[in-house]
Amino acid sequence: MLDAAIEAARRAATVILQIYATDFQVRSKDDASPVTLADEAAEAAILETLAQRFPEVPAISEEAASRGGLPSAPARFWLIDPLDGTKEFISRNGEFTVNIALIEQGRPRLGVVLAPALGRLYAGCEAADGSCQAFVEEAGERRPIHCRAVPEAGLTVVSSRSHGDAAALDAFLAGRRVAASVSAGSSLKLCLLAAGEADLYPRLGRTMEWDIAAGHAVLRAAGGEVRDLDGVPLRYGKPGLDNPHFAATGI
């Protein structure tokens, strides 16, 4: 299933980059968030690939959900954001991703996060026996990744490039030793933790499950976790598919 998700993400990346190179149009969805042809073409490529390989596993995808309402989540399903970071795509800063996750009994068991413009793919999965693997692939080379222990100098904190409440973030970090702060777009924030390049990502604003499921799966496979502000690991398939505020951490 991980191979299928990688194949689907690569097919989506191909069409995304083709559109990225054009003077594409931007439209607004009902919730006023932006959408482009790339979102829709990438979604079609992903859904077709996954349906061919695993027709018995249903899929919930952001663009389909926005067009026709949110379906009830089954016990096992693909959760897809075909173009996470549409604002980054529009601004052409390269920090947008294709996100594909497999959810089983509310847990993200498998995830692929592919950044087409950066040529970087993160993946992680949990096997039936509980063992995990996480890796990054770039320039044709694949290497394992894992979260790091927090350095003595303090935390490297990741925040959103396009969203965020500075006052709320400052309040959350009060009393913690912070060595550095970095910003990043889309699910790359979670992947920085998984790769041992950062330690904490607080998200004190609204997100949908498809925004973070794939990155959460990669992070879990690398030894980290995403928890709500009460410390409870985030679950998926919730009514409405929206998330509470959360904090993603490494080891």
Side-chain angles (χ1 to χ4, degrees):
M1 297 186 87
L2 181 60
D3 289 342
I6 291 173
E7 177 188 349
R10 292 197 187 285
R11 286 191 60 191
T14 297
V15 298
I16 286 171
L17 290 178
Q18 289 171 348
I19 296 168
Y20 194 54
T22 70
D23 186 19
F24 55 83
Q25 300 296 308
V26 181
R27 310 187 309 276
S28 292
K29 295 189 282 191
D30 290 343
D31 64 358
S33 62
V35 64
T36 71
L37 177 61
D39 298 78
E40 297 159 343
E43 179 182 74
I46 293 168
L47 293 177
E48 179 183 29
T49 303
L50 296 179
Q52 289 173 346
R53 297 284 300 274
F54 294 95
E56 75 282 5
V57 181
I60 296 176
S61 183
E62 178 184 9
E63 303 311 324
S66 68
R67 291 191 298 268
L70 292 171
S72 297
R76 187 186 200 216
F77 64 100
W78 296 106
L79 186 54
I80 300 158
D81 190 342
L83 180 51
D84 182 34
T86 301
K87 290 182 179 179
E88 279 71 32
F89 180 82
I90 293 167
S91 67
R92 299 182 187 273
N93 71 11
E95 294 183 350
F96 51 88
T97 60
V98 179
N99 297 348
I100 302 174
L102 178 70
I103 307 299
E104 292 184 344
Q105 302 297 334
R107 298 172 62 189
R109 295 290 298 275
L110 175 159
V112 173
V113 176
L114 173 58
L118 303 180
R120 188 179 308 146
L121 180 145
Y122 296 90
C125 66
E126 178 187 358
D129 63 3
S131 63
C132 295
Q133 64 166 315
F135 62 85
V136 62
E137 186 174 301
E138 192 170 15
E141 295 187 3
R142 180 178 293 190
R143 60 178 176 85
I145 56 174
H146 53 81
C147 300
R148 70 183 185 186
V150 177
E152 286 189 18
L155 298 160
T156 294
V157 179
V158 187
S159 60
S160 174
R161 189 177 299 283
S162 299
H163 308 276
D165 183 328
L169 179 61
D170 289 343
F172 182 86
L173 294 175
R176 303 172 191 255
R177 178 181 293 180
V178 176
S181 299
V182 297
S183 60
S186 64
S187 290
L188 292 172
K189 296 181 286 293
L190 293 161
C191 295
L192 290 176
L193 272 66
E197 298 175 23
D199 308 292
L200 175 65
Y201 165 39
R203 180 56 188 255
L204 308 175
R206 185 172 186 250
T207 59
M208 299 300 291
E209 291 186 4
W210 49 66
D211 292 321
I212 68 164
H216 187 177
V218 174
L219 179 60
R220 285 187 72 241
E225 187 54 276
V226 179
R227 298 179 174 87
D228 67 22
L229 299 189
D230 293 322
V232 178
L234 224 59
R235 304 285 288 184
Y236 293 84
K238 302 181 295 295
L241 299 184
D242 56 345
N243 295 317
H245 294 181
F246 63 81
T249 57
I251 295 173

